[in-house]
Amino acid sequence: MAYEVTSPGRVNLVGEHTDYTGGYVMPLATNLHTRLVAEPAADVDVYSAALDRRASFSVGDVDRADTWADYVRGVYYVLDREGYAPGGFRGHLDGSLPLGSGLSSSASLELAVLAFLDEAYDLGIDPEEAARLGQRVENEFVGVSCGIMDQFAVGLSRAGHVLHLDTESLEYDQVAFPEDVQVVVFHTGVERELKDSAYNRRRETVERALDRLGRETSKAVTATELASLPARERKRLGFVTRENRRVLRARDALSDGDAARLGDVLVAAHRDIARNFEASCEELDAFVEAALDAGAYGARLTGAGWGGSAVALVDADEGQSFVERVSQRYEERFPDLEPTAHLIRPSAGVTTEHREGLSVPERP
Ligand code: GLA
């Protein structure tokens, strides 16, 4: 009898590059998901259908291998450091979540493995701890200094809602997402090759600015403090402080069911991240402009930036025609790129089922 884990991806509506400064974020979990079917075993043997790759290792072997399976190995590494000692598993990974397109497929995989191990070996890990452990897989094992937004959204989202999270206190609430609004995610076809180094550099600059001000969180930074910073730090941290305020405005607009106001916040966020955080690119900017011309309430890059994906909000009954119009215009401008678009439903965080008659698929 095997376990089936359904683990979503995430789209951030607003609150970018705030989660490593104790700021606010407002992501949602996607109906695109990673699926893990697995059963306990002595060692680990896991097959990824999307990559057509298999990885095997023994539970005691937690060295980094510089492959996709580091997200699995890393889970064992952090669990071991926390004193948990789960056994291995035989598993099959597939699902609809595209890999490496800015929808947090890595957080989705980490949380899928954690959820399975928690159930199968009765580890007693609560969802918040799982999110923290997932982040540590990235920080301590894979080597990406990300914040906690992705893992939290993948683990704790609720269907039909967006998550409003304070990344300092980890207090959160779920805000209902209007049924008459469609979330569209558009992958630009630009891989984020520079992402990790640029991401880590931005993080360093913002942390240096906070250190200089003696502040633990970007939420507390005042205009006078900002004005006292060297130009580059002021520019980067200035964006982050305005972004925190935009999350609160977006939350209010959502609570009022006001899609137009919400859209305006997203557009302001995009212009600010492009100009002052310099995390956009020509393709993302072109998508945002095309989306607004095609009647979107708002659009912006989502995730780290420098390529990857953008999000747009449109009327619920216009999703498909919007995608067609915007894709056509985008492809005319960038004929060599292969963009993809998805209509997204705000969905539940990771879930696990233990079902009679379910078995791990045989390897091809
Ligand atoms: C990546 C990171 C997140 C967050 C975003 C930017 O997705 O994994 O933790 O910092 O970038 O908001």
Side-chain angles (χ1 to χ4, degrees), residues 142-161:
V142 178
V144 177
S145 320
C146 65
I148 200 164
M149 168 173 70
D150 304 345
Q151 289 79 9
F152 218 90
V154 169
L156 287 103
S157 290
R158 185 166 149 199
H161 291 70

Side-chain angles (χ1 to χ4, degrees), residues 10 12 15-17 19-20 146-150 195 199 303-304:
R10 73 91 189 90
N12 190 19
E16 221 65 85
H17 291 274
D19 71 340
Y20 48 82
C146 65
I148 200 164
M149 168 173 70
D150 304 345
K195 181 210 149 190
Y199 181 92

Side-chain angles (χ1 to χ4, degrees), residues 194-203 306:
L194 292 175
K195 181 210 149 190
D196 294 344
S197 57
Y199 181 92
N200 289 348
R201 274 206 311 280
R202 288 297 184 280
R203 182 172 177 151
W306 300 286

Side-chain angles (χ1 to χ4, degrees), residues 49-173:
L51 298 168
D52 190 20
R53 289 268 158 72
R54 176 179 166 191
S56 311
F57 59 94
S58 82
V59 166
D61 172 19
V62 285
D63 288 337
R64 203 166 89 170
D66 288 317
T67 70
W68 67 276
D70 280 351
Y71 297 109
V72 184
R73 289 170 185 266
V75 166
Y76 277 90
Y77 174 85
V78 295
L79 285 176
D80 179 62
R81 298 200 62 165
E82 284 305 301
Y84 295 104
F89 69 96
R90 201 170 76 81
H92 177 100
L93 284 163
D94 56 18
S96 51
L97 184 66
L99 308 185
S101 60
L103 300 179
S104 291
S105 54
S106 57
S108 179
L109 174 53
E110 291 146 17
L111 275 269
V113 174
L114 276 162
F116 163 74
L117 294 177
D118 180 46
E119 283 284 326
Y121 291 104
D122 215 1
L123 303 180
I125 295 173
D126 68 37
E128 271 184 50
E129 186 182 4
R132 283 207 196 87
L133 292 170
Q135 181 193 13
R136 286 180 55 193
V137 171
E138 304 271 353
N139 295 170
E140 296 172 25
F141 196 78
V142 178
V144 177
S145 320
C146 65
I148 200 164
M149 168 173 70
D150 304 345
Q151 289 79 9
F152 218 90
V154 169
L156 287 103
S157 290
R158 185 166 149 199
H161 291 70
V162 299
L163 189 81
H164 172 247
L165 170 69
D166 177 337
T167 61
E168 184 192 16
S169 63
L170 294 191
E171 278 170 20
Y172 65 95
D173 57 349

